Every structure is written in structure tokens, then in C-alpha cells.
Amino acid sequence: MQVNEFKPKIVAFCCNWCSYAGADLAGSNRLAYPAEVKVIRVPCSCRVNPMFILRAFQRGADGVIICGCHPGDCHYTSGNYYTRRRMALLFSMLDYLGIEKGRTRVEWVSAAEGAKFAQTMNDFVQTVTALGENKRLEDLRCKK
Amino acid sequence: MNNINEALIPAVCEIVAIRQDTPDVKTFRVLTPDGKKPFIHKPGQCAMLSMPGVGEALFSITSSPTNKEYIEFSIKKCGCVTEWLHAAEVGQQITVRGPYGNGFPVETEFKGKDMLFIAGGIGLAPVRSVINYVRDNRANYGKVDIVYGSRSKDDLVFFEEIINEWKNDPTVNVHLTIDREQEGWDGHVGFVPSYVKELGFDSNKTAVLCGPPIMIKFTLQGLAELGFSNEQVFTTLELRMKCGIGKCGRCNVGSKYVCKDGPVFRMDQLEELPDEY
Amino acid sequence: MQKINREVLINKANELLSNGTINRVFGWEKGDFSYDVTPTIYFTADQMNKKFIFDDFCGANFSKYLVAETKKDQNKVGVFLKPCDTYSFNQLLTEHRFDKEKVYAIGVPCDGMVDEKKIKAFFGEGISSITSEGDEIIVDTLYDGVKKVKKADVLQERCQNCKSKKHVYYDELIGEDGEVLDSNRFDEVEKLEKMTADERFAFWQNELSKCIRCNACRDVCPACTCEKCVFNNPNSGVENKSPANEFEEKMFHIIRAFHVAGRCTDCGECSRVCPQGIPLHLLNRKFIKDINSFYGNYQAGEQEGSRAPLTNYTKEDLEPSEAVNKGDN
Amino acid sequence: MRKCLLQNQNKLFDQISSFASLYIPVETTGGNASFKKYEQGMVMSDVLKTDRSPKDLFFPQTENLMEFKTSGKNIEVIDNRKESEDFVVFGVRGCDVKSFEVLDRVFLVEPVDTYYATRREHGIIVSMACGRPAETCFCQTFGIDASAPEGDIVCYKTEDALYLDAKTEKGKNLLSKLADVTEESDGKEALKQKEQIKTVLAKLPLANLKADSFGKDKTKEFFDAPEWQILSKSCLGCGTCTFVCPTCQCYDIKDFKTKDGVQRFRCWDSCMYSEFTKMSAGQPRLTQLERFRQRFMHKLVYYPTNNDGLFSCVGCGRCISKCPISMNIVKVMKALGGIDNE
């Protein structure tokens, strides 16, 4: 085994009503997902300001994933529809600036989908690991 | 303490005692980590205190230079640095640089004069330094009158000191006032400017004035009515500052830099400046 | 057709000022050189006779000034609006930034504004005068005598790719109205999209590293009318007067572009005022282009009261993952 | 005076950069240039004015002052400046050279700003006479001669050669190290060019702009002038003029939390910004009028009052070409000085 294996830092914004509960379920079902994923609970996926994502990258994240209720199931009726539009535009913009598109993702995970949560995280960590360290949206002051 | 060549690099100091003066004013006693007084200052000068990551701000030094043991800052909670300081505990280190500013002309223009100190609220902080300096060099000055007022009895800073030391000093006349009637208060009630007029001081005194802008404005009118000229009245200014050494440009008013040429100004000097303070 | 010149506009303003419709009017003011035109406000026709100008350098858009100006008193303010300015005007109305009853908008025609930076790129410094004659610009230089250049070659980028000559709002129109044009404004964006991610990264790195964070783009932007900007708020974590490193340069521009996404009318003021010549419009246009292709064509400011794409949704919107992969096929 | 043929120009640069960092103006996009660190093969731009002034090299836009480490209640202050090395700035125009004198009088008076002082000490300035001054130039207003700039070495560029004339010890020292890429010259060509420049300068549109009505102790005269109202009317409150200005020196000190400590840095600030003077107790300059007035009063009155009448403007004209709304110090001077611009 390699000693210096790259372990990415992943920030996962999870909506309180679905995805966070999904993460809980993954935990109680003993479904493993990588410890590199740091979950941040938000009231709704649409609480995630694009600035949060940039700040996460600034502070050393290698990937950022946003999880919310499935479209149509939002606790606040329509929050995740707005998330969908915002993130579509933001991710497209990041891509336009030459930032690797694998570093950002939106997934819909319901409270019953513990397995999907674990699967999504495993998959995302794999993608980001393959991309390597985040070099294009980094703030060296935070990395020393 | 500071290497004079490294004006922007602060020294580490330690808060050795904290005293709650009023609900929103605390007095911090500051020493170097090895227990020495951080620097020698003149009454009315200021110093930059900072907590890395929180910010840096300029505060007037409340203790008198005649105090050989420590320096003190009385700080009212009103912004992010002050809020952080209010939450700090004894033993906390902070960084200090200074002293900055000109200070009061205690060895020149004040010498031999009858002194009248007028302060409102936290405005007593810089004035306390001069009052104690004058008390400790009593022979050099004439009569001393102090007029101090604040919103309520609880908002009078240094209350203990005023009652136990200043009031007991036979060479000092202390006049206290609060804005509104309050239970347990048998002193004067009313605003500082009108109290000053009521007391009707001789116009041969030298006045030192510090407090909120509105108090300064009306007290000045009162003093003028009593026959004081602008050359007899001193005050200290407050502006946003970053460097403390007259370079960052923030506290520039007219051709003066408040941090370097001030904060103490004589009223006639102030009149020369554009009205932007 | 009557030539719309300075005198026509002064006469119109004079008429409105003297019949009491308005008591002041925004207009352009002549500078020391041929190109340094300043937006200002006139109270009398006399002032206008002295200083008013209407030529190839009147690029400044007055719409944003109206937000503050209309709050001052109850009188009506006059304003000259070029076609592209009317889009900003309409967008501000949509966002309830000022009361249109307090404004009298005079639509004026525009056949493209000239960019003096382009002229200087052609002839260098030392320009004593610039005049236009038909489709030619005649430049008198200090060192090389009189030079001529095609106007089309020295137009501002936004005018070369003009999206519309049509006024979408006016109380009164001077001259004849134009049409919405079929412009090539997205060509440059497409060119970038076709590059590899590495090339795009290098392009933006080079451009954005020039930024000095003077905030001119924000301060001139008619969509940036927040009373307290996130970049002025020390607690936002993004307040920095000057970018400390490459990250902050990028972050500032991404956030700014995002904040105006769906509201940006593509007036191009940001690129015009940038002292470092950064093509900021390419960021805004990317959003406009994406919005058009993801959610259907939308032109901010075209219609007063229209619902902006980012405050709207449909149940069938595409997924973010589809959005980023759209260009791949 | 030494002469370096233009075909040897890059040899000269290579030579300098072999023992010191060299900064030269390099063309970026059409007609724009900025000072960049010389690397082999770079071409020196003839563009008159770089986008930003070379003040960057002495007073950078952002600069780390120190670092802090905190643990528990303890703080450690770390001054992590490294030993400075000599550097050469080549091709500084006369106005920009003068701007260093203006900055010196701020940063080098007691207490000295050591960050700036070190750079000044190690920086060698090779100035460049302005062969083709622009219409926006008005350095003459402030007594600066673009045909004979100051600096450690003065350089004249003719059609085929650079003429280098050392003016200070630092300059002589540098020139002596360049003996094998330069040759001795009588400097007649340089003198000829100097005369040429003089005739051009006299013809510039702003040649007759006078600053006489401003200066020391004129605060009362101008502070309440009604003209400020209309001049500041359309000011956007951006910081363009202050950031491109070679003499603007206001700065802010801020902290940044790094991974395991705090970095205290300073960055340029602008008196045009609304929060420049804002403090918890209030805001002394509430409107753009006051902020606008502060900038020009400082350049034309306050600074001269403190500095023997020296103006804090060198007439480089950058604000003229960069201001989004084309308001600038020339318009202010004309309006306040009673000269109606037609």
C-alpha cells in the first residue's frame, strides 16, 4: 500500500429533512462511507449560497457536494428547485473558468435512501481522489 | 518595548486584571509577559490593542504615567475588538503597540493653571490619566475641578476611585451628575453642559473636555458663555485608525492626522480644521 | 431623416425644463479631450448649452443614478437613454428600485459608441482630437498628423455586438426606433467553451490576475444596487479591498457575476470601465447564454415585471450534472 | 554618459538580471503595459504609461506584515521577512520617479515604515525620458521635467540606442557593472532628444494648467466651495483613481486566519470607499461629496501644507484615462481654480 495516498477533503452540504436523515440511516445501517466526507447540515439545500462552495474550496476542500430532497419533495415546497437552477449555473460557470467539473456535484437523497447516501459519497470521493488535489481554486494561505 | 523602527509590529502583553466598571465598560490592566510596564506614555496618549484574527483598535490609556507599575485601558463594548476583549479572561495575551499621539500638554500649557476637567460617559477614560497625573504632581497645578456625568449612577466609570480617592482629596472638587433621577442617588441630576453653566466656573481655568459629540458641542457653548476662550479648552478626538503612525490616511482631517498630530487638540486648533471629525 | 444631434437634445430638454415636466436632466458633459465625457445633471438649458455633448463617447448609462436621484425630492428627473440603457432602466423598474412616475425618459438613438482605448491601441498616445465623419473616425494626433480609421473597428466591444437598437422604455422618443438585432455576442463565449479546461483556466488566470479590485465594475453596474454590498461587509468573509491572491481575484468575479445572473442586461458597462481591460462581460454572457439554453430565451430588462430565471423554476429543469456535461457532446 | 545600442538592449537586461531582479514595462494587451520581472527574451514596451504605477514595487497592493501563532491564551508574533535583495526598475517615467519623493515623505518620516524603507534602499531606479508624452500628461504643472527625469540613472531612448547617465552613487555603481554592454558616449544624441521633448511638452494641451491657486494652508479657501457638489455628482465611489495613482498611499491592515495561525497583511485602501472612515461610533464622511473632496483636498492642499508646498500629484494622467466617468484632478483644478473648461 502506498504511504502517501491522497485523501481528499470533501464537504457535503446536507439538507436537514432528507439527506441528513439519509446519512443518519446510512450510519444506523452500518453502511460505510469515507471519513473524508465532512457533513454540514443546512435547513434546505437552497440555503447553500454559491459563496459557501467557494469558501469551502478556499479553506482546503477538494470537492463539494450538495444533497437535498428529491425534486418535488422539498420540506419548503420549492427550495430544491431553486438549488437546481443555481447550481446548474454555478457549476457551468466553474467549468467555464477551467475548474474540474468533477469537484462539484448535486445529488438528491431522501431520508429513506441510506444506501444511496453511502453509495453517492463513495462514488464522489472516488471521483475527487482521481482528480487529485484541488489546485485551481485554492488559497495557499489556508494550506500551509 | 517596541523597536521604534518596527512601528507596525506589536509586542505581546498580558491582561493581568479585569475590572467591571459599568455594565458595558471594563478596565483592563496590561503588563508585559515578564510583569513589566509595557511602555512610558504621556497623559492623553493612545495605544493599539489587538487580538490576531479579531482586529486591531486604538484605545486611550486610562492610567496615569505616574503609575509606575502597570497601564490600564477602560473600554466600552461597542465593536468587534471590544466585544472580544470583554469576553477575555485574566491571563489572556494580547498585542500592544504604541504609545501614539501627542497627549495633553501637562508639562507646558497646563503647568501652574487651575484645571477644569469635564467628561461624559466613557469620555472620562482619557481624562482620568490627566487627573491622576495632576493629583500626583499636585504642586505644579492650581485648583482642580472635575465635572463628570453619565446616563445613570451605574454608568459612571471609575465610581470607586471617584468616591474613595478623588472625593477624599481635599485639593480636588468633584461634581457628579446623572441624566435622570435614580433611586439611591442624592447628587445632582441633569446634563453635563447645563451643570457646567450652573456651577459657573471662573474663566481663568484651563478646561479639558471629553465625551460624546453632542455633549462637547453644548458644553463648548456653555464655556463660551462663561467667558472661556478657545485657547483655554482642550479636547481629544476619535476617528477610525489603522496604523497609528500617520501613514494609512484614515484619520486625516485637513492637514492633520489625528493619530499623530492629535488626538488632543486645543479648540482654536480644531476650529482651523474642516468639520469632518 | 433629421440628424439627431446635440442641439436637438438640448432643445428637447429645454422644452421639458421650461414647461415644468422635469426640473433637472441627466446628460453627458464635455471634457478636456474628445473622449472624456462625464455623466452629470443639468438644471438649465444655459448649463447645457455650455457643456452638454452628444457624440461617439457618450457611453455612460444613467439608469443607476436614478435610484439615488429620484429619492431626493418630488420633482421629475429627465434622463436621456440609449437603447441599451433602456434595458437597465426596465430591469431596475422590475426590481422596484425607483418610481417611474418620477422620471421622464427620453429615448435617444445610438449607432455605437467608440472606445478610445481601441483608438489608442491603433495610434498610440498623443491624440489631440477625434471627430467622426460618416462611418469613419478622424483622429488628429500630436505626432503623426491626421489619421483615419473605420468606426466599426474602434467601436466598443458591446457596440460591435449590439443586441438591440430598440428602446424598451421611454416617455418620449427622439428619432426613430430600431430593432432587436441578431448579434454575435455569444461567439466569444463559445470560443472559450470550445477550449480545453486547461486553456480556459489559463485564459481566466491571465485575465483575472490583472484585477486590482478597484470595484469600478461593481460600482458602475446597473444591476448592483444593493444598499450594502457583500464586498463591503467585513463579516461576509469576502470583504477585501485588494485581492491577496489568485483565489480572491477569482472568487470576487464569480460571486459578482452570480449576483447579477439573470438580472444582467448585458449593457457592458463593466468591461468599459475596467481600468485593467478585463473582458468581464464574458462572465456575464456565459450566464446569459446558459440561462437561454437551459431555461429558454430570457433577456433581462426587456419586459418590465418579468420574472427572473433564478427566482423561477419548472419541475422539468435540467440537473446540474446535465448542465456541466451539455457542452461535451 | 554610457550608450547601449538597441540591438544590445536585451544583453543589457540579461546582464542586470544576472545580479539583481530587474523589472521592465512589458506590453500586455493592445497599448497597455505593466511592470514585470524580466525574464530572458522579454521586450521592453514603449508604451508611455503602465496601467499601474511602479509604486507597486515599493508599496505592493497587498503585503504580509507578520504572522501570529496562538495557543491557549498565548500569542507569538513572527516577523518572517527575509533578507532583501537589490532590484532594478528600468524605464520609470519622470512623473513616477517624482512620486517616490511624495511617498518618501509619508513612509520615511519617523516612525519609519521599514517595509517600504527596505525596498527603497534596495531599489535602483532607471528613469526614462518621455519621447512621446501623451495629451493627458500634465507633469509640468507640478514642476516635473519629462525631458530630464530624476532617478539613479537617467535613460534616453533614441532610434538606435539607449543613453544612460548615472545621477547617484547607486546609479554609478550599477552602470560600472554594465561596462561590457555599454560604451562611453558624448551624449549629443541624448541632448538632442531632450530638446525635442521640450518642444513637444510646450505644445501639450494641458501645458498651461497651473496649480498656483492651490497649495499650503488653502483649506478654508476651497473646503466649502460650491463646485464640489457638481464635481462629485457622478462619482461612483470606486477606487480606480486611487489604485492607479502613483502617489495615493492609504492602506488598510487586516487579519486573515490561515490554517494554523493569523496572517496580518496590509492592502491598499481608498478614501473613495464608503467604509473607509466608518467606525463603531459613526461616520465622519457620510456622502460621496465628502469622500471625493477629501481625495482632492489632500492632494492639492493638505499634503502641501505638511510638506513645504509639494503637491501630492505628479501629473501622470492615469486617472484621466482610467476613471469610469472621466472625472479627474484636472477637471477639479480647473473648476476650483476658476478656469471654466469652455
Side-chain angles (χ1 to χ4, degrees):
Chain A
M1 205 178 102
Q2 261 184 300
V3 190
N4 284 330
E5 203 187 335
F6 168 63
K7 292 226 185 274
K9 288 190 201 73
I10 306 288
V11 174
F13 291 100
C14 292
C15 114
N16 179 47
W17 307 99
C18 291
S19 313
Y20 196 76
D24 250 2
L25 186 63
S28 30
N29 287 347
R30 309 208 166 222
L31 296 168
Y33 64 90
E36 293 86 344
V37 179
K38 315 284 180 222
V39 176
I40 297 177
R41 179 161 63 160
V42 286
C44 174
S45 58
C46 91
R47 173 68 185 91
V48 181
N49 184 326
M51 215 146 70
F52 295 179
I53 296 168
L54 295 174
R55 293 272 281 164
F57 282 124
Q58 177 184 31
R59 290 269 148 197
D62 298 301
V64 178
I65 182 165
I66 297 156
C67 301
C69 310
H70 283 272
D73 293 346
C74 178
H75 184 78
Y76 307 99
T77 319
S78 55
N80 52 7
Y81 286 124
Y82 294 112
T83 310
R84 193 158 66 174
R85 282 208 167 183
R86 272 179 217 160
M87 294 309 148
L89 288 175
L90 179 72
F91 294 176
S92 173
M93 174 54 79
L94 291 177
D95 177 43
Y96 183 63
L97 290 171
I99 317 294
E100 305 92 335
K101 39 190 153 184
R103 293 197 188 280
T104 45
R105 188 180 292 186
V106 170
E107 281 293 341
W108 313 121
V109 180
S110 81
E113 294 175 322
K116 185 179 178 190
F117 184 86
Q119 171 62 38
T120 303
M121 290 305 155
N122 281 317
D123 184 59
F124 188 56
V125 169
Q126 227 170 36
T127 313
V128 178
T129 310
L131 285 170
E133 236 181 299
N134 161 32
K135 291 268 181 211
R136 296 198 168 165
L137 265 184
E138 68 178 348
D139 189 330
L140 286 172
R141 294 172 300 177
C142 304
K143 287 213 165 167
K144 269 190 297 190
Chain B
M1 89 153 214
N2 262 353
N3 176 355
I4 189 71
N5 291 322
E6 298 295 349
L8 291 173
I9 300 189
V12 175
C13 287
E14 198 170 305
I15 300 174
V16 295
I18 301 173
R19 189 178 69 230
Q20 183 96 40
D21 278 304
T22 74
D24 57 0
V25 177
K26 278 185 176 180
T27 297
F28 300 86
R29 190 171 294 178
V30 173
L31 291 177
T32 59
D34 52 357
K36 296 204 184 84
K37 197 175 156 176
F39 49 69
I40 315 269
H41 71 282
K42 288 184 270 183
Q45 278 192 310
C46 308
M48 277 280 184
L49 304 188
S50 116
M51 176 59 202
V54 179
E56 200 171 32
L58 196 76
F59 297 100
S60 58
I61 303 161
T62 330
S63 56
S64 156
T66 47
N67 184 323
K68 300 286 178 231
E69 283 155 32
Y70 53 80
I71 53 168
E72 275 185 342
F73 298 89
S74 292
I75 295 168
K76 182 170 170 163
K77 191 153 116 180
C78 62
C80 57
V81 178
T82 55
E83 252 170 51
W84 183 88
L85 279 167
H86 270 247
E89 294 168 6
V90 169
Q92 173 67 50
Q93 292 194 332
I94 53 171
T95 70
V96 179
R97 56 190 178 93
Y100 296 126
N102 54 359
F104 288 99
V106 282
E107 289 303 319
T108 50
E109 286 173 83
F110 286 3
K111 228 165 185 178
K113 298 276 165 52
D114 288 351
M115 299 299 301
L116 169 59
F117 298 101
I118 305 167
I122 190 66
L124 189 61
V127 179
R128 176 192 177 220
S129 173
V130 207
I131 294 177
N132 283 340
Y133 186 88
V134 168
R135 287 179 58 232
D136 290 338
N137 295 287
R138 200 61 193 87
N140 291 341
Y141 306 91
K143 285 187 230 160
V144 173
D145 282 276
I146 301 167
V147 183
Y148 177 48
S150 90
R151 280 173 301 177
S152 70
K153 179 174 169 257
D154 307 318
D155 288 305
L156 291 166
V157 289
F158 317 124
F159 192 62
E160 300 275 301
E161 185 172 347
I162 295 171
I163 296 298
N164 298 334
E165 296 183 31
W166 299 358
K167 280 239 178 190
N168 290 336
D169 186 340
T171 65
V172 174
N173 292 317
V174 184
H175 316 272
L176 296 180
T177 180
I178 58 172
D179 290 358
R180 272 175 295 275
E181 293 278 0
Q182 191 183 6
E183 223 169 285
W185 179 258
D186 53 1
H188 185 271
V189 174
F191 293 121
V192 171
S194 50
Y195 194 31
V196 168
K197 268 196 278 180
E198 250 171 69
L199 290 164
F201 295 102
D202 276 347
S203 63
N204 60 359
K205 291 178 189 297
T206 297
V208 173
L209 192 56
C210 187
I214 190 79
M215 182 208 103
I216 295 200
K217 190 181 159 203
F218 287 108
T219 309
L220 279 176
Q221 287 175 6
L223 288 175
E225 281 171 37
L226 291 174
F228 281 78
S229 71
N230 277 339
E231 286 78 9
Q232 288 169 276
V233 184
F234 291 79
T235 187
T236 124
L237 290 188
E238 182 200 15
L239 273 182
R240 188 167 180 196
M241 298 172 193
K242 281 285 176 180
C243 70
I245 50 177
K247 304 194 195 298
C248 80
R250 226 158 270 269
C251 65
N252 177 228
V253 178
S255 56
K256 301 285 184 215
Y257 288 86
V258 174
C259 66
K260 202 175 74 177
D261 305 314
V264 175
F265 288 97
R266 214 169 56 200
M267 278 321 293
D268 59 319
Q269 297 167 332
L270 217 48
E271 299 253 297
E272 288 297 308
L273 297 182
D275 187 17
E276 279 191 337
Y277 43 82
Chain C
M1 200 179 86
Q2 183 201 13
K3 169 91 183 128
I4 311 296
N5 58 16
R6 169 178 187 268
E7 277 65 40
V8 178
L9 301 194
I10 294 178
N11 289 341
K12 176 48 69 187
N14 191 18
E15 176 197 321
L16 293 166
L17 284 166
S18 45
N19 70 18
T21 312
I22 57 174
N23 87 325
R24 57 201 189 279
V25 58
F26 274 107
W28 301 274
E29 182 182 331
K30 187 178 174 347
D32 294 316
F33 311 105
S34 309
Y35 52 80
D36 59 335
V37 173
T38 303
T40 191
I41 199 158
Y42 295 100
F43 290 86
T44 64
D46 189 41
Q47 289 171 339
M48 288 185 82
N49 278 324
K50 269 193 203 151
K51 293 178 172 174
F52 182 79
I53 191 159
F54 183 62
D55 64 6
D56 293 331
F57 294 96
C58 294
N61 177 350
F62 298 116
S63 304
K64 188 178 180 176
Y65 287 115
L66 292 169
V67 177
E69 195 62 32
T70 51
K71 288 202 177 85
K72 286 186 182 159
D73 55 34
Q74 289 308 315
N75 295 310
K76 258 195 181 192
V77 189
V79 62
F80 292 110
L81 297 175
K82 304 184 294 295
C84 66
D85 301 344
T86 59
Y87 284 79
S88 316
F89 185 96
N90 240 356
Q91 181 62 26
L92 287 166
L93 286 182
T94 303
E95 293 168 15
H96 310 289
R97 303 302 291 153
F98 59 83
D99 179 2
K100 68 175 161 190
E101 295 308 318
K102 287 166 99 176
V103 181
Y104 191 88
I106 309 154
V108 295
C110 168
D111 49 1
M113 291 294 155
V114 172
D115 185 350
E116 87 271 8
K117 287 179 208 142
K118 285 190 179 165
I119 293 182
K120 285 186 179 176
F122 268 106
F123 306 119
E125 294 272 7
I127 287 164
S128 32
S129 80
I130 305 170
T131 45
S132 84
E133 222 178 74
D135 59 354
E136 272 193 328
I137 297 286
I138 298 152
V139 183
D140 193 3
T141 65
L142 284 174
Y143 301 104
D144 309 310
V146 178
K147 296 274 180 183
K148 282 184 183 178
V149 62
K150 283 255 176 305
K151 184 173 172 182
D153 294 339
V154 290
L155 278 182
Q156 289 178 13
E157 190 284 333
R158 57 172 172 177
C159 301
Q160 284 174 333
N161 292 314
C162 179
K163 62 178 182 288
S164 172
K165 299 271 186 217
K166 182 177 147 95
H167 293 80
V168 290
Y169 184 96
Y170 55 81
D171 290 297
E172 180 173 351
L173 184 67
I174 295 186
E176 276 166 42
D177 210 0
E179 291 298 317
V180 175
L181 304 177
D182 202 12
S183 79
N184 298 323
R185 60 185 174 135
F186 297 119
D187 286 3
E188 201 65 14
V189 177
E190 269 162 30
K191 216 171 96 192
L192 275 164
E193 285 171 342
K194 286 195 184 109
M195 291 181 181
T196 64
D198 292 344
E199 286 165 346
R200 280 198 298 270
F201 183 74
F203 172 84
W204 284 112
Q205 189 83 340
N206 175 44
E207 289 297 343
L208 297 183
S209 64
K210 295 178 198 159
C211 175
I212 54 175
R213 265 307 285 280
C214 63
N215 289 310
C217 48
R218 176 197 67 180
D219 291 324
V220 80
C221 178
C224 275
T225 53
C226 291
E227 292 195 351
K228 179 125 184 143
C229 175
V230 62
F231 297 112
N232 284 354
N233 177 2
N235 300 323
S236 68
V238 290
E239 184 234 31
N240 265 326
K241 281 146 190 157
S242 53
N245 57 25
E246 290 157 354
F247 178 83
E248 284 183 347
E249 284 152 4
K250 276 179 259 176
M251 177 141 103
F252 172 73
H253 291 288
I254 299 172
I255 296 176
R256 213 193 79 74
F258 199 88
H259 280 189
V260 300
R263 307 190 296 119
C264 167
T265 63
D266 198 11
C267 74
E269 285 282 90
C270 46
S271 294
R272 176 181 72 90
V273 301
C274 179
Q276 298 294 99
I278 305 171
L280 295 165
H281 60 277
L282 292 179
L283 292 174
N284 298 320
R285 274 191 198 156
K286 167 68 177 168
F287 276 130
I288 297 172
K289 182 171 174 287
D290 278 353
I291 287 169
N292 286 348
S293 78
F294 299 167
Y295 313 119
N297 284 349
Y298 177 81
Q299 171 61 52
E302 192 169 32
Q303 208 168 9
E304 193 196 330
S306 65
R307 193 161 170 186
L310 276 171
T311 54
N312 205 351
Y313 65 89
T314 66
K315 292 185 175 166
E316 293 75 37
D317 282 344
L318 85 174
E319 292 293 327
S321 55
E322 294 167 328
V324 288
N325 292 322
K326 230 184 170 188
D328 283 0
N329 313 321
Chain D
M1 189 173 283
R2 304 288 293 183
K3 172 179 174 182
C4 170
L5 290 173
L6 280 189
Q7 65 234 41
N8 292 334
Q9 181 176 293
N10 272 53
K11 277 191 199 146
L12 179 85
F13 292 159
D14 290 337
Q15 181 99 353
I16 298 175
S17 60
S18 71
F19 54 80
S21 304
L22 170 67
Y23 295 88
I24 59 166
V26 178
E27 195 141 326
T28 49
T29 42
N32 293 357
S34 61
F35 277 96
K36 294 228 164 99
K37 193 167 176 178
Y38 177 77
E39 283 163 25
Q40 213 163 18
M42 268 188 184
V43 184
M44 181 165 77
S45 162
D46 282 330
V47 168
L48 184 73
K49 282 174 264 189
T50 48
D51 282 342
R52 292 205 254 176
S53 87
K55 88 172 169 187
D56 258 34
L57 298 167
F58 296 89
F59 172 45
Q61 180 158 22
T62 47
E63 157 175 40
N64 285 329
L65 297 176
M66 69 206 85
E67 268 176 55
F68 299 99
K69 293 254 184 284
T70 51
S71 60
K73 289 180 175 174
N74 293 335
I75 301 173
E76 190 192 345
V77 185
I78 305 158
D79 179 4
N80 49 9
R81 273 181 285 178
K82 294 190 187 80
E83 191 78 22
S84 303
E85 283 166 6
D86 285 350
F87 64 95
V88 178
V89 192
F90 204 103
V92 182
R93 300 295 178 183
C95 48
D96 291 341
V97 179
K98 186 75 174 180
S99 77
F100 297 129
E101 187 187 332
V102 175
L103 295 176
D104 285 353
R105 283 171 179 250
V106 175
F107 288 122
L108 299 186
V109 294
E110 284 299 329
V112 173
D113 183 301
T114 48
Y115 299 86
Y116 176 82
T118 315
R119 292 203 190 88
R120 279 292 274 150
E121 207 176 292
H122 289 276
I124 302 166
I125 294 166
V126 183
S127 61
M128 178 72 78
C130 305
R132 287 162 64 116
E135 74 280 8
T136 50
C137 291
F138 58 107
C139 58
Q140 303 168 83
T141 305
F142 303 105
I144 298 162
D145 186 354
S147 69
E150 294 165 29
D152 296 311
I153 296 177
V154 178
C155 179
Y156 290 89
K157 186 173 180 177
T158 61
E159 268 168 28
D160 61 342
L162 296 174
Y163 291 87
L164 299 158
D165 191 9
K167 294 286 183 191
T168 64
E169 276 311 307
K170 259 191 197 169
K172 278 179 191 146
N173 193 6
L174 174 67
L175 216 46
S176 70
K177 291 187 204 165
L178 304 172
D180 40 339
V181 280
T182 57
E183 56 193 82
E184 197 55 40
S185 154
D186 57 3
K188 264 189 194 155
E189 287 296 312
L191 204 67
K192 209 172 104 192
Q193 210 215 6
K194 191 171 166 178
E195 291 312 313
Q196 252 170 16
I197 296 173
K198 282 211 160 99
T199 49
V200 180
L201 284 173
K203 285 191 279 189
L204 290 182
L206 297 176
N208 295 319
L209 183 71
K210 291 278 178 286
D212 303 350
S213 49
F214 304 93
K216 262 178 120 150
D217 304 321
K218 303 261 178 125
T219 308
K220 294 236 152 125
E221 209 169 303
F222 294 109
F223 191 78
D224 291 316
E227 284 85 357
W228 293 116
Q229 177 72 40
I230 198 77
L231 287 168
S232 65
K233 175 83 227 169
S234 44
C235 178
L236 297 170
C238 74
T240 306
C241 51
T242 50
F243 288 180
V244 298
C245 178
T247 65
C248 268
Q249 106 298 318
C250 289
Y251 61 81
D252 194 0
I253 298 176
K254 294 161 85 81
D255 286 356
F256 183 86
K257 282 185 190 154
T258 59
K259 194 178 171 196
D260 55 355
V262 173
Q263 209 166 64
R264 180 161 292 171
F265 66 101
R266 76 162 156 208
C267 58
W268 295 352
D269 203 344
S270 170
C271 55
M272 291 296 203
Y273 289 161
S274 58
E275 69 286 21
F276 184 65
T277 51
K278 197 173 169 203
M279 49 182 175
S280 49
Q283 161 70 295
R285 293 190 199 112
L286 283 167
T287 64
Q288 198 57 32
L289 183 150
E290 287 145 353
R291 303 189 272 267
F292 181 91
R293 175 172 61 193
Q294 167 68 16
R295 177 161 192 270
F296 294 104
M297 284 296 277
H298 186 264
K299 294 215 173 298
L300 297 170
V301 180
Y302 305 158
Y303 186 93
T305 305
N306 287 332
N307 294 286
D308 318 311
L310 179 73
F311 288 98
S312 171
C313 174
V314 292
C316 73
R318 282 187 181 88
C319 51
I320 299 182
S321 46
K322 300 289 183 194
C323 176
I325 56 140
S326 300
M327 179 45 69
N328 53 57
I329 196 162
V330 172
K331 287 184 181 174
V332 170
M333 285 167 74
K334 283 187 174 177
L336 289 173
I339 308 164
D340 202 2
N341 51 348
E342 293 152 57

